[in-house]
Amino acid sequence: MPRQIPGNTSRGLIRSRDRRGARSDMSPPVAQKERPPEDPSVCDVCGSVYTAKTWRRNRPLPAKLVDAAAWTVCPACKQTKSGKYFGRVLVRGADAMANLDAIRARIVNVERRAEFTQPERRIVSCKGDGLGLEVLTTSQKLAHRIARELEKAFGGRARYTWSDQDGALTATWQNETRSTNRSE
């Protein structure tokens, strides 16, 4: 027999309180992380500091916490080492191939700016293939930001597609100049 709610018997309200079969953690797979490290912790690889539930870079620990800090490897370093990515940027087009050095420099600048406040956002790899450049990132947001910054700096167009399986983002940025042939 369904549970009765005193004072209101609308079916919608009754059904909204029924949580059978619902996951307790409704976050997407990309947001699900392993158990948080001890507070405070320091990454052996990059030196990021974990305090107050966040990883930060270039923040020294207070002297009284240095001895109490646990040494570990941060999630971004683990993800970079394993090659796992949640963002992918594809750089395509003839103009993109001509400006490859400037595009790489812009990508590195965007990564540095993002990593300053959020050290978990990093580039996993940046490889050139025959058609252009493929950049793999640790987060969807960094991939989105890179594609948007390329669009602002060099023109062109960015398209975004999200995967249903793992929530990964594929951003494709393409810059082609269109020559117009005018016959007079």
Side-chain angles (χ1 to χ4, degrees):
M1 182 164 169
R3 193 171 72 186
Q4 293 293 324
I5 299 171
N8 192 347
T9 58
S10 92
R11 290 191 186 273
L13 188 56
I14 292 170
R15 289 182 181 142
S16 72
R17 294 182 185 251
D18 186 12
R19 299 286 181 215
R20 287 178 291 179
R23 289 188 321 233
S24 61
D25 183 14
M26 297 301 287
S27 61
V30 70
Q32 293 174 358
K33 299 176 182 173
E34 50 190 58
R35 189 176 63 82
E38 295 178 31
D39 192 356
S41 293
V42 179
C43 179
D44 287 332
V45 180
C46 67
S48 296
V49 176
Y50 179 81
T51 56
K53 298 183 181 180
T54 58
W55 286 96
R56 295 289 181 215
R57 174 118 355 125
N58 299 330
R59 269 200 197 155
L61 278 174
K64 62 182 179 183
L65 294 179
V66 171
D67 295 332
W71 290 89
T72 185
V73 178
C74 72
C77 290
K78 288 178 188 175
Q79 195 173 347
T80 304
K81 184 178 178 186
S82 70
K84 188 175 181 182
Y85 65 93
F86 289 109
R88 181 174 165 210
V89 181
L90 300 173
V91 178
R92 300 287 185 245
D95 288 349
M97 294 302 289
N99 296 325
L100 210 51
D101 291 334
I103 289 172
R104 284 181 193 261
R106 186 68 187 140
I107 290 170
V108 169
N109 287 341
V110 171
E111 179 198 20
R112 282 189 191 143
R113 193 174 67 212
E115 194 177 10
F116 181 75
T117 57
Q118 297 159 327
E120 291 188 76
R121 294 189 176 160
R122 297 191 196 159
I123 292 178
V124 175
S125 72
C126 183
K127 298 183 219 170
D129 55 6
L131 302 171
L133 194 65
E134 179 186 49
V135 181
L136 304 177
T137 64
T138 57
S139 71
Q140 295 173 348
K141 180 64 181 174
L142 181 57
H144 194 282
R145 188 179 294 171
I146 288 171
R148 177 70 183 121
E149 290 294 326
L150 290 176
E151 194 176 28
K152 284 179 3 186
F154 299 103
R157 183 159 189 239
R159 289 185 338 227
Y160 307 99
T161 55
W162 282 265
S163 170
D164 289 338
Q165 283 79 27
D166 59 355
L169 168 70
T170 301
T172 305
W173 176 75
Q174 190 162 7
N175 188 6
E176 296 276 347
T177 56
R178 296 190 177 156
S179 59
T180 57
N181 294 332
R182 295 181 184 175
S183 53
E184 298 181 43

